[in-house]
Amino acid sequence: MEGSLASMALNMQGPESIKFQDQQALSGRSLTSIPNGSLVRGVVLEVKGDGYIVEIWGQRMFAVSSLNLAVGDRFTGIWDSTSMPPVLKLKPEELSSYERLNDNERAIVNALIERQLPVTDDLVKKLSSFLVKSGLDLDKLPMLVELYARGMPLDESYVKVLFWYFNLTDDQIKRYFSSVREKLKNNRDMENVLQSDREEGLYARSLALLSRPLKDVIYPYHFIPLRFCLKDGENIRVWVTSQETPKKVIRLIFHFEGVNVGLIEGELVFDANSYGVTLRSKSEEVTALLSKDLPSLAGALSELPIKLAYINLGQIRDVKETMYFGFEAKA
C-alpha cells in the first residue's frame, strides 16, 4: 500500500473524501458499476484546475479532493455510490482490517486485487474456507479465482485440472491439441474426448472450463488463456470475456506470434445479432500489410450466418498498470 492510506492518514484532520464529478471512460463502464461500499485504490494522473484526473478500476475520472494531492499519489478509500456525485471516503482504520487477516486470507485478497476483482469480507471468508476444507495449498489459489471469475462452481476437481493445465509447456500444448483435433476428425465426438482419462482428455476439460467467459473483467490478461496451435504449429492464446450490462456482449481476445510479423492481437465482439472484428499489430508496416487483405477478409467473414458489423485495424499499445479494488472488511 505504498504511498496510500498509511502516509495520507498522517495529514488527516477530519472526515476526508474525494468527489467524482465527471468521467472520461476508458472501459465504457459507468461510475455506478463500482459496487457501493467497496474499498478501492486509485492513482492521481494529473492536476487539473481545482481538481485532479485520477484512475480507478480502469477508468479516468475528474475528482475534487479535500486533501492536497500530487501526481503519482496513490489513495485508498470506501466507495459511496449513494451520494451524487459518488464519493470516496478515506478511512485510515481500514489498514488494520487487512493486518488482522490470516495468511490464507491475505493471499486471497492479493490474488483478487491483482486480477481487478471486487473483494468483500464474505468472499474472502468463503474462498479461505474452501481452501482449508479441500486441503489445497496456496499454489492452487489462482485456479480457485479463475473459477470464481467465471461464475463456475468451486470444485476441487476443477481446481486440479486447471493447475495441471497451467503447468503445461508449449510442446505439450501442441501435442495434446493435435491429438484432440485428430480424434474429432476421426468421428470421435467432443463428449468422448472430454470423458477420456488420457492427458488429451484433461487438456480438453481444461479448455472447456476456460472457455466460460470471465464476467465483467476489464483486463483479462491476468487470467489463464486458452492455448491452441495454428496450422503451422504456432501457439495462439485466447481469452473469453462477457459484459452483462447494459446488454450482453461476448469478447474473444486472441494473441499469436506470426511468422515475420511479430505479435498480432485480435478481438471478436459478439452481441445477440452481429459481431465485429479488430486486428492490431506492433508496427505500422505490419498494419499496412494487413490492410491490403482487409477487403478479402471482410468478404469472407460476410459469408458467415451472423452479421459482420465492422472490421478494424489498429496498433497494439502498451497497457499502463492501474490500481484495482482493495479489501472491504467489517470492523
Side-chain angles (χ1 to χ4, degrees), residues 280-293:
R280 304 182 186 93
S281 71
K282 278 275 190 179
S283 72
E284 294 182 3
E285 292 80 4
V286 173
T287 301
L289 289 173
L290 292 173
S291 68
K292 294 180 180 179
D293 291 327

Side-chain angles (χ1 to χ4, degrees), residues 33-321:
S33 67
I34 300 178
N36 183 54
S38 293
L39 187 84
V40 298
R41 290 179 174 182
V43 61
V44 179
L45 300 179
E46 178 184 348
V47 177
K48 190 168 185 178
D50 294 328
Y52 310 88
I53 300 297
V54 301
E55 186 167 83
I56 291 178
W57 202 27
Q59 298 179 76
R60 290 172 186 257
M61 310 171 192
F62 179 74
V64 176
S65 174
S66 58
L67 292 174
N68 291 323
L69 303 175
V71 173
D73 278 353
R74 301 181 187 277
F75 50 86
T76 306
I78 298 294
W79 183 264
D80 181 6
S81 59
T82 63
S83 301
M84 290 302 295
V87 173
L88 192 68
K89 298 177 180 178
L90 306 176
K91 298 175 64 177
E93 64 269 24
E94 291 298 327
L95 183 61
S96 62
S97 298
Y98 181 82
E99 294 295 337
R100 287 197 297 269
L101 299 176
N102 63 40
D103 290 344
N104 279 0
E105 291 168 341
R106 289 189 190 183
I108 290 167
V109 168
N110 293 334
L112 293 168
I113 290 173
E114 288 168 2
R115 291 161 179 80
Q116 307 183 0
L117 296 174
V119 185
T120 65
D121 185 58
D122 288 344
L123 174 59
V124 173
K125 299 296 184 186
K126 177 182 178 180
L127 296 181
S128 180
S129 176
F130 181 87
L131 277 175
V132 173
K133 289 179 180 178
S134 302
L136 297 174
D137 56 53
L138 288 178
D139 288 341
K140 296 183 175 63
L141 173 59
M143 317 307 139
L144 197 59
V145 177
E146 292 281 341
L147 295 173
Y148 166 75
R150 291 171 166 81
M152 296 286 290
L154 303 182
D155 187 289
E156 185 179 353
S157 65
Y158 293 167
V159 171
K160 291 179 178 178
V161 166
L162 290 182
F163 187 73
W164 173 86
Y165 171 90
F166 179 74
N167 289 287
L168 293 179
T169 65
D170 286 346
D171 287 340
Q172 287 173 314
I173 291 289
K174 291 178 182 178
R175 185 165 71 251
Y176 298 146
F177 181 71
S178 176
S179 178
V180 169
R181 185 169 51 192
E182 286 302 314
K183 281 181 168 55
L184 295 178
K185 282 182 180 179
N186 294 330
N187 297 321
R188 295 281 298 278
D189 61 42
M190 193 62 184
E191 190 63 30
N192 286 334
V193 176
L194 287 169
Q195 292 177 356
S196 171
D197 292 330
R198 298 175 64 86
E199 290 187 326
E200 61 263 24
L202 285 173
Y203 171 73
R205 290 198 290 278
S206 301
L207 297 186
L209 291 172
L210 296 174
S211 64
R212 294 289 294 268
L214 294 158
K215 297 181 181 297
D216 292 317
V217 165
I218 298 171
Y219 190 65
Y221 309 122
H222 292 307
F223 294 85
I224 303 174
L226 296 147
R227 294 161 68 193
F228 306 101
C229 294
L230 300 176
K231 288 183 179 179
D232 59 3
E234 294 296 326
N235 286 323
I236 181 169
R237 295 174 292 164
V238 180
W239 293 264
V240 185
T241 70
S242 69
Q243 171 188 303
E244 303 299 320
T245 58
K247 65 176 182 178
K248 186 163 186 174
V249 175
I250 302 291
R251 286 183 170 84
L252 273 70
I253 303 166
F254 59 87
H255 283 189
F256 70 91
E257 294 280 347
V259 178
N260 299 324
V261 296
L263 178 64
I264 299 294
E265 176 185 287
E267 182 178 44
L268 281 71
V269 180
F270 297 86
D271 63 17
N273 304 310
S274 62
Y275 76 106
V277 179
T278 301
L279 295 174
R280 304 182 186 93
S281 71
K282 278 275 190 179
S283 72
E284 294 182 3
E285 292 80 4
V286 173
T287 301
L289 289 173
L290 292 173
S291 68
K292 294 180 180 179
D293 291 327
L294 207 60
S296 60
L297 177 59
L301 294 175
S302 297
E303 298 297 321
L304 298 176
I306 187 170
K307 178 185 176 182
L308 177 65
Y310 64 84
I311 181 168
N312 294 328
L313 287 178
Q315 283 191 263
I316 297 172
R317 305 294 183 188
D318 291 331
V319 178
K320 179 179 178 292
E321 285 293 328

Side-chain angles (χ1 to χ4, degrees), residues 3-16 66-69 73 90 92:
S4 62
L5 221 45
S7 61
M8 294 177 68
L10 298 176
N11 298 319
M12 287 187 176
Q13 298 178 359
E16 308 292 352
S66 58
L67 292 174
N68 291 323
L69 303 175
D73 278 353
L90 306 176

